[in-house]
């Protein structure tokens, strides 16, 4: 029986309709899918420990015989199975909670392999809910793959199928690189890699297999990004417009402040792209308050001046209205019509806005997700700018690009991203870093306090407000929740403790009118202290705010803490950030203490990346990138760099992939 990569599961021996359904739950539908369904870990049966050698807290593999067992019900629904096993050097107790049905598996006299963490209870060694597998005597596969499972499938099921495939496969997946390049890069081949990732002959072979498959995955990933960038940014004479770089000086004359050199550099890059007829795909990363918005307004202004429409997409209504208030006067002074579209507009207001957009009367539209939800026919949309792009899903971001052919796209973010990750994750975009702070060097002093230090915090608040300063208090929730500080409860508490101070409350459940009114009063210092949720995290620009107090700081990610910290000290004066910790855990304190030492977003990003890995930080699903099956951007960063470098080399030598046309089948 010879199998091809496209052979359906139902054609395989041992897979009936029911088993097929179980495999489909794992997104396995054909032979190729199984080959690339990788083990989550391995058990090295040569590294089996003797029971007499065990130590508390270590994760070990044990081979032992069942010598006794007992079951105990604690209630109608709960109970445990306790099994005594021995390897002639000692006794280990294996406990399975709420799995009494396993008693039929663990027959006295049978030998099993166990893997798990060793604990000590009443001076006895215990291992709770371990991985287990019956030991079947002589074996050649000493490094055993352990796969992610779903109900209805066992490790034996998957191993049996994988062995069958590897033995009867008439063709392996295509190589990504010829032999001479693989030798230069010191990587293996696809056949060796797939055989040894599933059933490694040795740990050395397993490592070679992993390196090859990780490189292959990153190579295909980067090939898709860079090819997409090449196609999208190909010069088109229909996109060429003659624009004078002196426009930057003209624009600056309309501003109440001076542009930084860094801002001017990025503006020049945008102008050069337009003059070359290049479709703009650019990510602008900049610290909170570094002036990304000015670049967005400049771009919208340029396209409006040459007769086109532009959209500025914002994650919140608060930010949308703030941008409108700040920039409406500039556009009107240039005879450029600007409008706002949010979910809170009346139907009549929306209809009038749509009419102005469809006739081309309105050149600049600032709005929230509502822009994506409304059926708007732009007359000549030419540029889309997304603020805090990670707040929008990839499909949402594509909707506006699809409104018109050849729409320029600029994405902005203040959410810290490690440099290397940014250059690889956003490999299909040009990447600009905005580092200068327009209003001088911002200085924010960050402190770490425990909940017990509340009185010190209250004294600090009173002193600051006596000096005509204002500040935020941030909580992780709106309403009272078990063990979570809420904005509403904190507001009540502070109104009692600081009765002489005007305090405001802001959160997402309040009406948009109330939110706008509260922020207006806070901006005008009628409200001195604003208790809020993270609704103020993105884009709130009130320069005079001098302190922020973040309750239960351990509940926030470091990137989010950095964003919140960036809300203060924007006037150039010293700002203060207090992190209040409710959980005195050593790991929590170490993480937040490390955060305090970091000032730049990139440094915070690297720290967050090291601590948490790429998952939450990157949100790859949000960017339209499928989850990596084997590569880990944090651990395998050198292989990622190597893969990108190789793709860049190939596209430089063979831009249209004429000599290496086979690579096109990897491009989706």
């Amino acid at each position: 029986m010879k199998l091809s990569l496209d052979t359906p599961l139902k054609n395989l021996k041992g897979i009936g309709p029911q088993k097929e359904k179980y495999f489909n739950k794992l997104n396995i539908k054909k032979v190729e899918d199984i080959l690339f369904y990788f083990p989550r870990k391995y058990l090295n049966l040569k590294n089996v420990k003797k029971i007499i050698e065990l130590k508390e807290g270590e994760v070990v593999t044990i081979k032992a015989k069942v010598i006794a067992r007992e079951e105990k019900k604690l209630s109608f629904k709960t109970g445990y199975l306790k099994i005594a096993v021995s390897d002639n050097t000692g006794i280990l107790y294996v406990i399975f909670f709420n799995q009494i049905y396993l008693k039929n598996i663990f027959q006295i006299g049978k030998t099993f392999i166990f893997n798990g963490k060793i604990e000590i209870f009443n001076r006895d060694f215990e291992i709770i809910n371990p991985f287990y597998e019956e030991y079947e005597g002589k074996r050649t596969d000493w490094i055993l793959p352990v796969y992610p499972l779903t109900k209805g499938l066992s490790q034996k099921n998957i191993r049996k199928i994988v062995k069958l495939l590897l033995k009867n496969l008439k063709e392996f997946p295509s190589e990504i690189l010829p032999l001479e390049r693989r030798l230069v890069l010191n990587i293996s081949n696809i056949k060796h890699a797939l055989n040894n990732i599933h059933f490694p002959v040795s740990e050395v072979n397993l490592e070679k297999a992993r390196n090859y498959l990780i490189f292959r995955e990153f190579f295909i990933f980067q090939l898709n990004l860079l090819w997409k960038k090449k196609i999208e940014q190909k010069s088109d004479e229909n996109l060429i417009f003659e624009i004078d770089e002196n426009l930057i000086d003209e624009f600056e004359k309309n501003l109440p402040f001076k542009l930084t050199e860094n801002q001017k550099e990025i503006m020049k890059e945008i102008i050069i792209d337009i003059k070359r007829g290049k479709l703009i795909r650019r990510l602008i990363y900049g610290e909170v308050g570094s002036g990304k918005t000015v670049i967005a307004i400049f771009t919208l202004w340029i396209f409006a001046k040459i007769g086109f429409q532009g959209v500025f997409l914002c994650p919140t209504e608060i930010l949308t209205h703030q941008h409108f208030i700040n920039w409406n006067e500039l556009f009107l002074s240039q005879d450029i019509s600007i409008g706002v579209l949010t979910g809170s507009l009346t139907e009549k207001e929306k209809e009038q806005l749509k009419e102005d957009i469809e006739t081309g009367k309105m050149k600049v539209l600032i709005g929230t997700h509502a822009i994506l939800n409304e059926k708007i026919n732009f007359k000549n949309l030419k540029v889309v700018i997304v603020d805090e792009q990670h707040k929008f899903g990839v499909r949402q971001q594509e909707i506006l690009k699809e409104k018109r052919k050849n729409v320029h796209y600029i994405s902005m973010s203040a959410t810290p991203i490690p440099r290397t990750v940014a250059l690889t994750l956003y490999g299909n975009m040009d990447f600009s870093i905005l580092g200068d702070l327009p209003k001088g060097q911002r200085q924010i002093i960050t402190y770490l306090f425990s909940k017990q230090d509340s009185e010190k915090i209250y004294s600090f608040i009173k002193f600051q407000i006596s000096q005509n300063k204002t500040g935020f208090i941030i909580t992780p929730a709106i309403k009272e929740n078990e063990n979570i500080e809420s904005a509403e409860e904190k507001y009540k508490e502070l109104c009692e403790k600081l009765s002489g101070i005007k305090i405001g409350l802001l959160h997402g459940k309040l009406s948009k009118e109330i939110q706008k009114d509260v922020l207006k009063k806070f901006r005008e210092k009628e409200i001195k202290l604003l208790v809020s949720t993270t609704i103020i995290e993105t884009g709130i620009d009130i320069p005079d705010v001098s302190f922020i107090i973040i309750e239960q700081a351990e509940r926030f990610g470091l990137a989010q803490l950095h964003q919140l910290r960036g809300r203060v000290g924007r006037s150039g004066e010293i700002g203060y950030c207090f992190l209040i910790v409710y959980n005195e855990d050593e790991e929590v304190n170490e993480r937040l203490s490390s955060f305090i030492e970091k000032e730049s977003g990139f440094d915070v990003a690297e720290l967050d990346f090291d601590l948490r890995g790429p998952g939450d930080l990157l949100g790859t699903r949000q960017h339209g990138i499928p989850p990596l099956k084997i590569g880990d951007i944090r651990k395998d960063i050198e292989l990622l760099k190597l893969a990108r470098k190789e793709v860049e080399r190939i596209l430089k030598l063979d831009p249209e992939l004429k000599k290496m046309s086979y690579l096109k089948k990897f491009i989706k």
Side-chain angles (χ1 to χ4, degrees), residues 177-188 215 639 642 645-646 649:
L177 293 172
L179 175 61
E180 60 268 21
R181 284 308 298 170
R182 283 186 273 123
L183 289 172
V184 169
L185 297 168
N186 193 28
I187 57 173
S188 181
F215 177 88
L639 283 169
L642 187 66
K645 191 175 177 182
E646 183 64 13
R649 185 194 71 82

Side-chain angles (χ1 to χ4, degrees), residues 272-525:
I272 290 168
D273 285 347
I274 297 170
K275 289 171 75 172
R276 287 177 178 169
K278 178 180 172 182
L279 196 62
I280 298 172
R281 293 288 183 267
R282 185 173 295 276
L283 170 66
I284 300 174
Y285 168 78
E287 290 284 358
V288 175
S290 60
K292 297 182 298 298
T293 303
V294 180
I295 295 171
I297 297 301
F298 170 74
T299 308
L300 293 166
W301 177 75
I302 279 183
F303 281 104
K305 280 180 76 69
I306 55 179
F308 292 104
Q309 293 173 307
V311 166
F312 195 3
L313 193 60
C314 307
T316 65
E317 281 204 23
I318 290 174
L319 186 55
T320 299
H321 287 291
Q322 179 177 283
H323 286 330
F324 180 77
I325 291 166
N326 290 345
W327 301 104
N328 182 39
E329 190 177 327
L330 180 144
F331 283 113
L332 290 180
S333 70
Q334 303 284 305
D335 199 26
I336 295 170
S337 177
I338 177 175
V340 170
L341 178 56
T342 64
S344 60
L345 291 185
T346 65
E347 287 305 313
K348 187 177 179 181
E349 288 170 328
K350 286 179 184 177
E351 287 307 313
Q352 181 59 56
L353 201 61
K354 286 182 189 178
E355 186 181 321
D356 290 344
I357 293 165
E358 289 169 10
T359 60
K361 179 181 176 182
M362 184 167 292
K363 298 298 183 190
V364 176
L365 181 62
I366 303 177
T368 59
H369 294 75
I371 295 176
L372 308 175
N373 300 331
E374 297 292 333
K375 291 181 179 176
I376 304 172
N377 295 313
F378 290 89
K379 185 178 181 183
N380 51 9
L381 180 65
K382 189 56 70 175
V383 62
V384 172
I385 299 173
V386 180
D387 197 3
E388 288 303 321
Q389 53 78 36
H390 67 284
K391 301 280 186 181
F392 299 91
V394 67
R395 180 60 194 143
Q396 290 175 311
Q397 295 176 42
E398 291 293 328
I399 288 172
L400 281 172
K401 284 194 255 181
E402 292 168 3
K403 293 281 185 183
R404 276 281 184 277
K405 189 182 177 184
N406 293 336
V407 172
H408 297 286
Y409 183 84
I410 294 176
S411 183
M412 306 195 306
S413 180
T415 300
I417 308 167
R419 281 181 175 84
T420 307
V421 173
L423 288 168
T424 51
L425 183 65
Y426 299 96
N428 62 322
M429 302 178 81
D430 292 318
F431 187 48
S432 299
I433 299 174
L434 193 57
D436 300 340
L437 296 177
K439 296 168 186 174
Q441 183 63 42
R442 184 186 305 168
Q443 187 178 358
I444 304 173
I445 303 173
T446 309
Y447 297 98
L448 189 62
F449 281 95
S450 70
K451 188 182 180 184
Q452 287 69 41
D453 294 315
S454 296
E455 291 305 318
K456 292 179 184 177
I457 301 297
Y458 294 141
S459 297
F460 173 82
I461 292 172
K462 288 175 184 175
F463 174 75
Q464 285 287 303
I465 289 173
S466 72
Q467 302 297 305
N468 199 31
K469 307 288 187 184
T470 57
F472 293 111
I473 291 191
I474 306 300
T475 68
I478 296 174
K479 291 185 177 292
E480 189 172 7
N481 201 338
E482 187 179 359
N483 299 323
I484 301 179
E485 186 71 82
S486 75
E488 291 182 348
E489 288 301 308
K490 198 69 188 177
Y491 173 71
K492 290 176 188 174
E493 178 192 326
L494 291 171
C495 284
E496 291 176 11
K497 288 190 176 283
L498 306 172
S499 55
I501 296 171
K502 181 66 175 173
I503 302 172
L505 176 65
L506 183 71
H507 57 70
K509 292 287 178 70
L510 297 172
S511 71
K512 304 305 177 186
E513 288 306 313
I514 291 176
Q515 288 181 30
K516 282 195 280 184
D517 184 57
V518 168
L519 277 172
K520 181 175 179 289
K521 287 177 179 176
F522 185 58
R523 189 177 271 109
E524 294 171 355
K525 293 193 174 182

Side-chain angles (χ1 to χ4, degrees), residues 23 42 57 99 155 187 255 275 329 331 409 470 641 657:
F23 275 105
Y42 300 84
Q99 297 179 73
Q155 296 295 337
I187 57 173
L255 302 176
K275 289 171 75 172
E329 190 177 327
F331 283 113
Y409 183 84
T470 57
K641 289 179 188 174
L657 291 180

Side-chain angles (χ1 to χ4, degrees), residues 64-236:
K65 185 182 292 184
V66 178
I67 58 174
R69 63 183 182 180
E70 69 171 1
E71 59 181 276
K72 188 165 185 178
K73 285 205 169 186
L74 302 175
S75 69
F76 178 70
K77 290 185 176 180
T78 62
Y80 65 85
L81 178 68
K82 186 174 184 179
I83 302 162
V85 300
S86 174
D87 63 356
N88 296 325
T89 71
I91 294 175
L92 171 70
Y93 293 97
V94 183
I95 316 293
F96 291 98
F97 285 105
N98 301 323
Q99 297 179 73
I100 291 176
Y101 59 86
L102 294 178
K103 66 181 180 181
N104 295 324
I105 293 174
F106 292 102
Q107 300 290 326
I108 292 174
K110 283 190 174 182
T111 300
F112 287 83
I113 300 290
F114 299 98
N115 179 264
K117 188 176 181 180
I118 298 299
E119 298 181 16
I120 293 179
F121 181 72
N122 287 340
R123 297 187 179 181
D124 292 324
F125 285 123
E126 286 186 348
I127 190 166
I128 298 172
N129 292 339
F131 167 83
Y132 66 89
E133 184 168 293
E134 188 175 352
Y135 181 73
E136 298 176 330
K138 279 190 173 183
R139 61 189 315 129
T140 55
D141 49 344
W142 287 99
I143 303 177
L144 211 57
V146 179
Y147 297 89
L149 296 177
T150 188
K151 189 176 180 182
L153 291 177
S154 68
Q155 296 295 337
K156 273 188 179 180
N157 292 148
I158 298 182
R159 287 181 198 145
K160 187 177 179 181
I161 293 297
V162 174
K163 278 186 177 179
L164 176 75
L165 297 186
L166 292 171
K167 186 178 179 181
N168 294 286
L169 202 60
K170 67 179 181 183
E171 57 171 351
F172 276 81
S174 302
E175 287 291 358
I176 50 172
L177 293 172
L179 175 61
E180 60 268 21
R181 284 308 298 170
R182 283 186 273 123
L183 289 172
V184 169
L185 297 168
N186 193 28
I187 57 173
S188 181
N189 62 70
I190 191 70
K191 186 174 181 179
H192 175 275
L194 287 175
N195 273 292
N196 281 277
I197 202 68
H198 290 290
F199 297 101
V201 176
S202 65
E203 289 182 338
V204 171
N205 279 332
L206 173 58
E207 188 65 18
K208 283 182 180 178
R210 279 193 78 258
N211 286 345
Y212 174 88
L213 291 167
I214 291 167
F215 177 88
R216 184 180 192 275
E217 187 171 53
F218 285 152
F219 179 91
I220 294 170
F221 169 46
Q222 290 297 320
L223 178 65
N224 276 271
L225 285 176
L226 292 172
W227 184 260
K228 185 179 179 184
K229 179 179 180 179
K230 175 182 164 309
I231 297 299
E232 285 191 339
Q233 297 192 345
K234 197 171 184 178
S235 294
D236 184 340

